Amino acid sequence: MSEVRQIYEFEGFRLDRTNKVLKRNGTNIPLTRKMFETLDVLVENAGRLVEKDELMQKIWHDRHVEESNLTYNIKMLRKTLGDSASQPKFIETVPRHGYRFIAEVEQITEQNNNSQPFAVAPPQSAPVAQSFFLTVLLLIIILAGSLGLAAWIWKGNSGGATAPILSAEFDSTKLSDTGKVFHAVISPDGQYIAYTNKVGGRDSLWLRHLETANNTQIIPPSDDIYYGLAFSNGGETLFFTRDHAAASDTVDVYRIPLMGGVPLKVAAKTQGWISLSPDDKQISFVRYDEGGLVNRLMVAEADGENEREIKVSEPPSAFWVNAFSPDGRTIAAAYGHSLNASRQMGLVEIDVASGELRELTTEKFFHIKDLRWLPNKSGLIFSANQFINDNAKIWKLDYQTKTVSLVSKDSIEYSSLSLTREADKLVATTYSPDFYLHLQNSDNPVGFTRSTQARDRFTFAPDDKIVYASDAAGNEDIWIMEADGTNQRQLTTDKSLDFTPLVSPDNRHIFYTSNRTGESQIWRINADGSNPVQITRKEGGYPRFITPDGKWLYYQSALSTKLWKVSTGDGGEEILFDEDCGYYQAFSPDGNLLAFLFRDKETKSTKIKVIAPESRKVLKIFDTPAKITSFAYFLRWRNNSTLAYLIDEINGRAEVWEQDLNKDKPQIRQDLGDEEIMDIEYSADGEKFAFIRGNWQHDAFLIKGLK
């Protein structure tokens, strides 16, 4: 059957409107459905200004969505195309009006026989039929069964043998579109995919047989939280790490037969990173000492017997992800730290017998998320952020030359990686942010209005304006707006990460953390965004409080839980508290009290300690509703006598609780729902309340090539 295909070509890119595919020099470029539709409208109208309202109508039709969704799509498209907002060669911004596609575009019409469209992101409810022509697997999560759980529907892979990873063109197919697939691994023989799925705040573990398209639930939904999955090399057993919320607050390692059964605990008090030796006789994992400053790379037999320490970390460095080498003699690991927003994490190799550690490369990263050996110990493939404000990309290390090269060039944030034995397929999990600032309605104290995209911490200025961090312009910058969400204005424009703003009592200056020097130091700007000045130069950190006279800024160190202070006049820095001040330190508005959260070592519950800063005297210790199954964070003062904090319940709901210093027990103030909370704040008079709420979207991709 003949089909007419509409194609646009520009600067090496090929936009196939019929099949909804973007390619560059023959290589597929993965796009979300809305990203593709945005690009399609712009390219179709190349050279013409497309008003924002027109774009919103054509992409979202009659649905009411925030304009920031369009801004985010444009931002991600620019990253994908290698474009720049300041010096555009593809998408030009016309301030306050819209966007114009400025590259030269050639329109082509082609005849194609027996062609079949490729869905960029098929709806969750639409099952996908098998196709002879597609050699990739499409994954869709749909609600099924009385438990309301998800089943993955895949396209069959009936084509010929696929080319190994790193030797064919990059081919990335999105497998899920629900945002709830946190972990996914492919079996060594490529026949199965194991994955976790979260429905209603509860995780379950599933197995998918690719050839028969059969989904099997291995472990039913529970309140347990999963942190990692790994197939045995023989493929008969699945290992996983989880926090058994009802019984402990530690992450333990379990194993279970591939077709289900009773999980057997292998090791206790571990992190989520696990790896099996090539003969499946040993398992490696990481364990932290009490207090969390030192961790140890450990090895045990696959049944948990004969644990032994391979290597101890040297603070502030620590071991992270790790993987047995193909010969079983060494373990590759991410080692270092990301404190102070610096690039201090690298790849190392540890001899299993002697514990000897050596660097695999001198290249350093902000954070290495996962790593996998390539066949014959030829190298490593790993996911990492090179800098704190970079997307996590996929990289390759050549074992012989010790050189590192970038192999993924899209705008997707990659997290965990899983390879088949022959390295012909890779399954990667990804994540993307979707967070908004919510403002309290002036006429309804319990009602909130979603305002604008925002991330990390925000603050109320003394005049009730809101200063916040947002990546709407491409980098995370400091913005300001009125308390009702109007008059949004960008204050910083440096190509760095600017966040955690704090406004001076006289409303003249804004202090914030920035990594523009390569580490997290505190900077100051005028209220209009002018005259940026670096304030801290030692350990750096995060602003916590400015004294009422404006002379001192108190901040938490980026390298520890200690509190420092710096003169806002001459920049002199000194330690304010050299003892442990817990986490989420908060000074009362008058500066006379310091409160912080800490974890009771005996009861494992979260408590609040209130002290007098000058004398260090402990004035009060309060219990919170947080037990083993929940957690308290975001400690804030509503006024000089009332503290507020967030409780994250095991059912996924977030609640704001308040503690009157003159009362013994706290009271619940607000239920904020089941989305993730990034920050909460009160206005200076304690009457207005706002918060940042949203989700991280977690999905899975099937990748072939990576050339």
Side-chain angles (χ1 to χ4, degrees), residues 19 21 28 115-119 128-138 154-160 162 171 173 702 704:
N19 292 334
V21 172
N28 279 0
S115 63
Q116 180 168 339
F118 177 83
V128 184
Q130 291 188 348
S131 169
F132 175 83
F133 300 97
L134 295 180
T135 60
V136 295
L137 303 175
L138 286 178
W154 294 74
K155 282 191 176 180
N157 184 1
S158 56
T162 54
D171 187 1
T173 304
L702 177 70
K704 296 184 298 181

Side-chain angles (χ1 to χ4, degrees), residues 621-680:
I621 294 181
F622 296 101
D623 291 321
T624 73
K627 305 298 182 185
I628 292 174
T629 57
S630 58
F631 190 69
Y633 54 110
F634 295 143
L635 188 64
R636 303 286 184 258
W637 289 87
R638 183 175 185 182
N639 50 50
N640 287 316
S641 62
T642 305
L643 283 161
Y645 52 90
L646 203 70
I647 290 291
D648 190 8
E649 292 290 350
I650 194 64
N651 61 8
R653 301 198 71 81
E655 300 170 342
V656 178
W657 287 70
E658 290 188 350
Q659 176 68 62
D660 188 317
L661 298 190
N662 299 312
K663 297 180 180 179
D664 294 331
K665 295 183 179 181
Q667 291 184 330
I668 187 171
R669 169 184 166 88
Q670 189 83 35
D671 185 335
L672 299 184
D674 58 3
E675 291 186 298
E676 186 173 348
I677 306 299
M678 298 294 283
D679 197 10
I680 62 172

Side-chain angles (χ1 to χ4, degrees), residues 59 72 74 168 182 225 389 423 428 435 465 480 645 663 685 700:
I59 298 168
Y72 183 78
I74 295 294
F182 287 77
I225 301 174
N389 48 325
F435 291 90
K465 290 183 180 180
I480 192 170
Y645 52 90
K663 297 180 180 179
D685 60 8

